[in-house]
Amino acid sequence: MPAGPPRASGQNLLGRLASRAAHDLNNALAILSGHLYLLRAAAETPEEACAAIEKAAEQVARLSKSLEQLASIGHGEPESFEWNDLALEAASDPIHGAGAITLDLGSGLPPARGRRPDIRRALDCLLLNSREAGAPGAPIRIVTAPLPGGGALLAVEDSGTGIPPEISGRVFTPLFSTSGQRGRGIGLT
């Protein structure tokens, strides 16, 4: 696996994040302003304008949520929790679609210890990435199993083609995304 680029300094990362957030917010504001102009000029129906404005507002809301989540990473005390409980919770979350995820949960797993909200967010990002990578309606599976030596496995399986080897070393790099404009490069980080 390639080593990937050197880790960005905190200040450099902060600047890149602020730049990305400003760019995305400005894009959404341009869409909002443009459709308001078209609506006032009667060049667009109210339904068309409302649909476009709603989509832009959803983009801003997703960006805001991503930034809030990023700001909370690493805050709070580590806690003990059960891997299977985390998997069940994520699989039943409506954001992933009802019944879209199957579970293959092992028994005898040692308890996890860490910042549960951070691990849950990472699991949610893996599940969302799996949904994007696979064919529509393709199965997604969460697997847990005990590992020799006392550890535990938590895996997300999908029908996607996988991560190309030339970028596999970059998937946890802050602000790196393979999702184009949809992705922020924050989730797996």
Side-chain angles (χ1 to χ4, degrees):
M1 181 182 312
R7 285 262 188 226
S9 72
Q11 187 61 38
N12 185 22
L13 178 60
L14 183 60
R16 289 176 45 219
L17 179 60
S19 177
R20 169 82 55 94
H23 174 78
D24 290 351
L25 287 171
N26 283 330
N27 283 346
L29 288 171
I31 291 168
L32 293 169
S33 297
H35 286 283
L36 286 172
Y37 172 82
L38 291 172
L39 186 59
R40 284 191 182 116
E44 189 172 60
T45 68
E47 293 79 21
E48 292 170 322
C50 286
I53 290 169
E54 184 176 47
K55 186 175 177 182
E58 288 169 359
Q59 289 173 332
V60 170
R62 279 194 307 273
L63 175 61
S64 176
K65 184 176 181 180
S66 292
L67 292 172
E68 284 177 348
Q69 290 174 346
L70 183 63
S72 71
I73 289 174
H75 295 287
E77 292 299 315
E79 60 184 290
S80 290
F81 60 92
E82 299 298 323
W83 289 111
N84 288 346
D85 292 345
L86 186 78
L88 284 164
E89 181 184 297
S92 64
D93 192 321
I95 192 171
H96 301 301
I101 298 169
T102 59
L103 297 166
D104 183 1
L105 304 179
S107 60
L109 278 71
R113 178 127 182 100
R115 292 184 182 94
R116 191 178 193 284
D118 294 350
I119 297 168
R120 170 60 199 275
R121 270 193 292 279
L123 178 56
D124 284 339
C125 288
L126 288 172
L127 293 168
L128 292 170
N129 289 351
S130 289
R131 188 172 58 201
E132 289 177 3
I140 298 172
R141 188 167 83 132
I142 300 175
V143 178
T144 62
L147 292 174
L153 167 79
L154 174 77
V156 175
E157 298 175 350
D158 60 52
S159 63
T161 59
I163 300 168
E166 61 271 13
I167 64 166
S168 65
R170 298 180 62 201
V171 296
F172 296 107
T173 301
L175 306 180
F176 177 77
S177 175
T178 61
S179 298
Q181 290 296 328
R182 289 187 328 250
R184 305 273 177 254
I186 296 172
L188 291 179
T189 302

